[in-house]
Amino acid sequence: MKRVFFIFFLFIACHSCKEEQAVGLTEGFWLAELEVGDNQRLPFNFKLIRLGNGKYNIELYNADETILIDEIKVIGDSVIIRMPVFEGYLAGKYTAEEINGKFVKENEGRVLPFKAVHGIRERFKRLSIPSTNISGDWEVEFRPINEESYMAKGIFKQVDDRVSGTFRTMTGDYRYLEGINSGDSVKFSTFDGAHAYLFHARATDSSMVGVFYSGKHAKETFVARRNENYELPNTESLTYMKKGFDKLKFSFPDAEGNMVSLEDASFKDKVVIVQIMGTWCPNCLDETKFLAEYFKEHSNKQVAVVALAFEYAKTKEAAFKSIDRLKDRIGIKYPILLAQYGTIDKKMAQMKLPMLNHVLSFPTTIIIDQKGDVRKIYTGFNGPATGSNYDSFKKDFHSFITQLLEV
C-alpha cells in the first residue's frame, strides 16, 4: 500500500511540473460512483463550489445530511479530496467535467475505484413507477439462516419514488441512507468518508429481500417484513461490569504523554462520562458531536468527559494525529486518550478494560457517579439519522445526568 501511495504521488508531482495549466473543475452538481462488491456502483451526490485561486469546497449530500469538505488539493490535472475527520480520501485525474481515480483508506488497506461526472443531480436512475411505498418501520434480519445473523430495525420515508431512512442495529445505526423505489426495486446508499454502503432489495407492501454491500470487503443478504410495532431489545444491559469489579479503572496517555486515570484530581467528585471510541467510526463521530456540545453547555457543572480512542493507525504518532484532527474539527475541549493503536480488535480492547464483560461496540459510553460507581452503560449510539430514537436518547441522557448531579 505504501509503495502504491508513493508512486501515485510521484505521478502527481511529475505532472505538476508541466508548464501548461490544467483546466479547472466545473462548479455545480456532480454524481460520483464507487465500485463496490460484485462490480456494483455506489452513487452519491456533491456540489462543487469554486472559491477562486484554484481553491474549492464541496458539499456532499446523504438525505438530510450535508458534509462540508474543505481539504481539496489540486496539482496539475490531479485532485485529492480529503474527507473531514476520517482518514479516507478521493484521489484521481480530472478534466473540467469528470474525475477518475480511487477512494483510499490507507490504515485499513482498502481501495475502491471512483468516478464522478458533472451535471447529474439524481442519485439513482428512475426506471419505472414504484409498485409500493416502503414508508414505516421494518423488522430486519441480516445474514438470515446464519449463526452470525443479527437483527435491525428499518426506518424509512418515501415521497413519490424518493426514499430516505436508516437501519438501526443493537450497536448503532447505518446513518443517512438515500435512494429510490423503482418498480419493485429499492436502492439506497450512503458515503461519508468512512461508510461506503449500498443496499439493493426487491420490495412488496409487506416484505423486502436484498443485499448489503460495505465497500468491496463485505456482502450480506437481508430479509425484512413490515412491522410497525417492532422494537430492538434494550441495549443498556449488553455491556456491564463483571463480578469482582466495582470501579472502572484505566491509565492511558494523552497527546503530551501524560498518563491520565480516573483517580486524577480533575475527575474527583464529578459525574464522569467515559466514551470508548475511535476516530475512524461514524457512529462515534455522531456521539462525539453530541458530547462536545453537551460538555460545552455544562462545563460549569460537576461533569467531566474523557474519551478512550482505539485506532487503526499503525503508529502512536499517526494515531494522535487523527485524534488532534478530530478535536480541531469538532472543537472538543475534553481529553481524548490513546488506549490502543494498530488494531481495533474488540477482544484486545476488552483486555485493556478487563472489568467490562466485553467491548461489543464502538462507541460504548459509561456513566460514573460522584462516588466513582458505574451507574449506566450505553452500548452503541442512536445518531441523528434515527430521528425519534435520537431524540429519546438525548432526553434520557440529560435526565439521567441531572439526577446524578442532584444527589
Side-chain angles (χ1 to χ4, degrees):
M1 175 60 68
K2 288 183 177 178
R3 184 179 179 184
V4 172
F5 186 71
F6 173 78
I7 293 172
F8 179 78
F9 274 89
L10 184 62
F11 182 74
I12 289 177
C14 290
H15 276 68
S16 68
C17 296
K18 293 181 178 180
E19 292 183 3
E20 64 270 19
Q21 179 66 38
V23 65
L25 289 158
T26 303
E27 191 168 27
F29 289 93
W30 292 63
L31 173 69
E33 292 181 325
L34 301 175
E35 185 179 307
V36 294
D38 296 338
N39 294 318
Q40 295 289 322
R41 304 287 177 174
L42 184 164
F44 62 94
N45 307 98
F46 66 85
K47 181 180 180 181
L48 189 77
I49 303 166
R50 300 187 71 155
L51 305 177
N53 298 320
K55 297 185 181 299
Y56 304 88
N57 276 355
I58 283 175
E59 292 179 350
L60 188 153
Y61 306 115
N62 293 300
D64 293 334
E65 175 184 53
T66 299
I67 300 172
L68 177 63
I69 304 172
D70 58 9
E71 295 181 64
I72 302 167
K73 188 173 185 179
V74 175
I75 306 174
D77 61 353
S78 298
V79 60
I80 303 169
I81 303 168
R82 188 167 294 279
M83 304 300 294
V85 179
F86 303 125
E87 67 147 352
Y89 61 88
L90 298 159
K93 311 290 289 183
Y94 76 89
T95 63
E97 299 191 347
E98 190 170 298
I99 306 171
N100 287 276
K102 307 285 186 181
F103 170 59
V104 183
K105 297 174 75 175
E106 291 180 15
N107 285 320
E108 298 177 50
R110 293 174 182 165
V111 179
L112 299 177
F114 158 74
K115 181 177 181 178
V117 178
H118 175 261
I120 303 176
R121 297 188 64 162
E122 63 179 6
R123 199 179 190 97
F124 293 95
K125 289 183 179 180
R126 179 180 181 179
L127 300 177
S128 59
I129 297 172
S131 59
T132 187
N133 189 308
I134 68 167
S135 295
D137 296 342
W138 295 75
E139 181 180 348
V140 186
E141 183 178 10
F142 285 90
R143 304 175 191 158
I145 319 175
N146 186 305
E147 62 181 13
E148 295 183 348
S149 67
Y150 61 96
M151 300 303 296
K153 180 178 180 179
I155 309 166
F156 299 111
K157 178 182 179 181
Q158 181 177 327
V159 178
D160 297 326
D161 59 356
R162 303 299 167 177
V163 179
S164 61
T166 194
F167 290 102
R168 285 185 57 224
T169 74
M170 292 177 65
T171 58
D173 65 272
Y174 288 172
R175 303 194 78 253
Y176 294 92
L177 303 178
E178 180 179 347
I180 193 170
N181 190 350
S182 180
D184 66 349
S185 174
V186 178
K187 299 178 180 180
F188 30 83
S189 63
T190 190
F191 175 72
D192 56 18
H195 284 152
Y197 288 173
L198 174 68
F199 299 82
H200 284 190
R202 295 292 178 184
T204 69
D205 285 335
S206 59
S207 67
M208 281 191 277
V209 179
V211 180
F212 162 39
Y213 297 95
S214 177
K216 281 184 176 249
H217 66 280
K219 173 184 175 181
E220 299 175 355
T221 58
F222 68 92
V223 295
R225 67 183 183 92
R226 191 183 293 276
N227 185 350
E228 302 297 337
N229 298 315
Y230 180 67
E231 293 295 341
L232 291 166
N234 189 311
T235 62
E236 291 181 20
S237 61
L238 293 178
T239 307
Y240 53 84
M241 297 285 285
K242 292 192 296 191
K243 289 184 178 180
F245 294 93
D246 57 357
K247 304 287 184 183
L248 184 73
K249 294 183 179 180
F250 58 78
S251 181
F252 298 122
D254 63 15
E256 286 71 42
N258 303 309
M259 300 302 292
V260 178
S261 74
L262 291 176
E263 285 72 40
D264 293 350
S266 57
F267 301 115
K268 184 176 176 60
D269 298 325
K270 292 183 179 181
V271 172
V272 182
I273 302 161
V274 180
Q275 182 198 30
I276 299 171
M277 50 76 74
T279 61
W280 48 269
C281 164
N283 294 125
C284 300
L285 177 60
D286 283 339
E287 186 183 54
T288 298
K289 290 178 179 178
F290 167 77
L291 290 176
E293 186 64 27
Y294 181 86
F295 185 69
K296 179 180 178 181
E297 294 175 356
H298 299 83
S299 58
N300 60 332
K301 296 185 178 180
Q302 289 298 98
V303 177
V305 181
V306 58
L308 313 180
F310 292 78
E311 296 296 306
Y312 271 115
K314 306 304 181 186
T315 66
K316 183 187 299 184
E317 293 74 20
F320 274 119
K321 184 177 180 180
S322 295
I323 291 170
D324 289 342
R325 189 163 180 253
L326 173 68
K327 293 180 74 171
D328 290 343
R329 278 282 178 173
I330 308 302
I332 299 169
K333 302 302 182 183
Y334 53 83
I336 300 180
L337 314 179
L338 181 58
Q340 182 173 291
Y341 64 91
T343 177
I344 62 164
D345 182 85
K346 293 174 184 175
K347 291 183 178 179
M348 291 184 64
Q350 193 271 333
M351 292 173 63
K352 299 290 181 69
L353 299 166
M355 64 289 302
L356 299 179
N357 65 318
H358 54 205
V359 174
L360 183 63
S361 173
F362 297 103
T364 294
T365 305
I366 303 165
I367 311 299
I368 301 171
D369 66 18
Q370 294 97 323
K371 297 179 181 179
D373 295 326
V374 173
R375 298 293 298 274
K376 180 176 283 196
I377 300 179
Y378 293 101
T379 300
F381 185 71
N382 287 307
T386 67
S388 61
N389 296 99
Y390 178 57
D391 294 335
S392 295
F393 164 79
K394 291 191 294 183
K395 183 178 180 181
D396 177 78
F397 184 93
H398 281 266
S399 175
F400 189 72
I401 299 295
T402 298
Q403 290 177 28
L404 294 181
L405 291 171
E406 291 175 349
V407 173

